[in-house]
Amino acid sequence: MGEDLEKLKQRLPLLDYLRRQDWTARPAGHGAEFVGLCPLHAETRPSFYVNARKNLFYCHGCGQGGDLIRFVQLSRHLSFRQSLAYLEPQNAPTDAGAVLEETAAFYQRLWPHYPEAIRYLEQRGVHDPALLQELHMGYAPGGSLRRHLTAQGYSLDLLQRTGLVNPQGHDAFYRRVVFPCYQSGRLVNLYGRSIVASAPPHRFLPGSKGGLYAWEQVRQSPEVILVEGLFDYAVLWQAGFHHVTCSLGTHLTSDQFRQLCDSPRTVYLTFDVDANGSGQQAAQALAPRLRAQGITPRRVLLPPGHDPNSFFVQGGDARQFHSLLEEALS
Ligand SMILES: [Zn+2]
């Protein structure tokens, strides 16, 4: 293990990894040191140092430091083991991308056979077949993916490494609506929404969620609506709002935050107005951080107890949502 770990770190130097994540840095005095903005906490003056020779980082702002694995743990919120699994495909050539594509296509073909899935979509206000096509949505009934993929020649080892099959050998996604997550045109993860109330609602495969959802489609737009869930995204898209993106939760990763700030624009923060207030707290915390980067944040206030999905499901229409955008707090 120790030796493999050293090899991994040698093959994938910390500085290369950070640069691949769009970290920009300038040399800091002596030879091997670089400094830039900390990807782990919000700051405006660089205090994140990388020593390329020692392959270590340290941030004077948040006090975090360590090696590549430690950085992945902190930035991706993964355990030590998950971080290794996450780095593995970036490091060794594999057909992980191909197996994800095959999985997404397989799940897409299953829709017509599962009325339970169609019923769930109706409940969530999704009824436009063009939307299913546009988002490449699929349905994972569970219990059939492993057989399908091994018949295609994919090894069980690969299926377990990608997280599609769990350590017990069962399909990881069971009775879930599946949305493929792309980044720069490459399929990087799958999000599965359980249609059964007793299961944890949200599930991703291990590894990167892949930045903001469908970012390539909206990045040129001077106005962007940001929502926290993919069913919020789906109903807005269906109602004709195509300048929408989704952070897959209220916490933006540093990649997502950077994308949102990559050029001046207005961002309509349309998070849930839920009883515990977490969506609105997140929006309030995010607004000044965006403003500091030259973005115009506007907080959209849905009626109490609503998220964009429930707003449309319970009879809200495009015209009403448009008024909410116009009334959004700046
Ligand atoms: Zn920091």
Side-chain angles (χ1 to χ4, degrees):
M1 184 67 166
E3 198 178 313
D4 285 352
L5 205 57
E6 284 315 309
K7 273 192 200 149
L8 169 82
K9 289 199 271 180
Q10 265 173 29
R11 277 199 306 255
L12 188 58
L14 176 62
L15 190 62
D16 289 2
Y17 176 82
L18 288 166
R19 283 184 168 150
R20 244 189 257 172
Q21 312 283 321
D22 297 327
W23 185 64
T24 45
R26 57 178 170 78
H30 321 287
E33 285 241 297
F34 294 85
V35 64
L37 290 175
C38 178
L40 301 173
H41 83 280
E43 64 177 8
T44 49
R45 295 227 311 258
S47 50
F48 185 89
Y49 286 78
V50 172
N51 186 309
R53 195 165 34 80
K54 295 184 186 154
N55 234 348
L56 294 172
F57 72 94
Y58 184 77
C59 173
H60 293 277
C62 60
Q64 300 285 6
D67 62 4
L68 171 68
I69 317 289
R70 181 78 192 135
F71 182 81
V72 171
Q73 282 182 266
L74 292 167
S75 59
R76 304 267 160 196
H77 310 286
L78 298 174
S79 70
F80 181 78
R81 287 176 66 97
Q82 288 170 327
S83 301
L84 291 183
Y86 166 77
L87 287 168
E88 182 67 21
Q90 312 209 0
N91 186 34
T94 79
D95 37 9
V99 77
L100 286 185
E101 292 282 358
E102 180 60 42
T103 301
F106 177 66
Y107 285 154
Q108 246 189 301
R109 290 197 296 272
L110 293 184
W111 276 120
H113 308 288
Y114 293 91
E116 63 193 36
I118 305 287
R119 270 199 303 276
Y120 178 80
L121 284 193
E122 281 166 4
Q123 274 172 34
R124 300 299 301 269
V126 174
H127 46 71
D128 184 354
L131 177 70
L132 302 194
Q133 278 298 325
E134 170 73 20
L135 306 187
H136 306 286
M137 287 164 70
Y139 180 63
S144 54
L145 180 70
R146 177 182 163 178
R147 203 174 338 117
H148 171 75
L149 291 175
T150 45
Q152 306 274 313
Y154 292 102
S155 71
L156 179 59
D157 177 58
L158 176 66
L159 304 189
Q160 290 182 322
R161 272 191 290 126
T162 50
L164 289 166
V165 168
N166 68 21
Q168 291 75 39
H170 304 302
D171 291 6
F173 284 162
Y174 174 77
R175 301 187 70 189
R176 283 173 191 273
V177 173
V178 176
F179 294 77
C181 302
Y182 294 86
Q183 188 161 26
S184 312
R186 201 166 56 90
L187 179 52
V188 293
N189 209 324
L190 299 175
Y191 164 77
R193 175 62 166 88
S194 175
I195 69 164
V196 229
S198 55
H202 314 291
R203 175 164 282 174
F204 286 95
L205 299 176
S208 167
K209 290 180 197 176
L212 290 167
Y213 186 77
W215 182 242
E216 303 304 320
Q217 280 93 303
V218 297
R219 65 179 309 170
Q220 307 292 347
S221 174
E223 297 194 332
V224 169
I225 302 172
L226 176 68
V227 296
E228 60 179 90
L230 282 175
F231 277 96
D232 301 327
Y233 180 97
V235 289
L236 279 170
W237 197 92
Q238 206 173 242
F241 297 91
H242 291 185
H243 55 306
V244 189
T245 188
C246 172
S247 46
L248 307 154
T250 53
H251 174 82
L252 268 69
T253 64
S254 50
D255 284 353
Q256 292 176 332
F257 183 74
R258 209 165 329 162
Q259 286 175 317
L260 214 47
C261 300
D262 69 1
S263 73
R265 58 169 65 86
T266 299
V267 177
Y268 290 93
L269 303 171
T270 316
F271 288 170
D272 302 4
V273 183
D274 37 14
N276 66 17
S278 61
Q280 287 311 299
Q281 274 167 24
Q284 269 173 32
L286 185 55
R289 289 178 59 206
L290 291 173
R291 209 171 286 123
Q293 302 293 320
I295 300 297
T296 308
R298 299 194 61 189
R299 281 196 297 126
V300 178
L301 280 185
L302 293 158
H306 277 288
D307 55 38
N309 185 261
S310 64
F311 178 78
F312 281 95
V313 168
Q314 292 180 22
D317 60 24
R319 191 184 49 79
Q320 289 166 337
F321 190 80
H322 219 277
S323 325
L324 291 178
L325 292 181
E326 279 172 359
E327 293 157 13
L329 309 173
S330 48

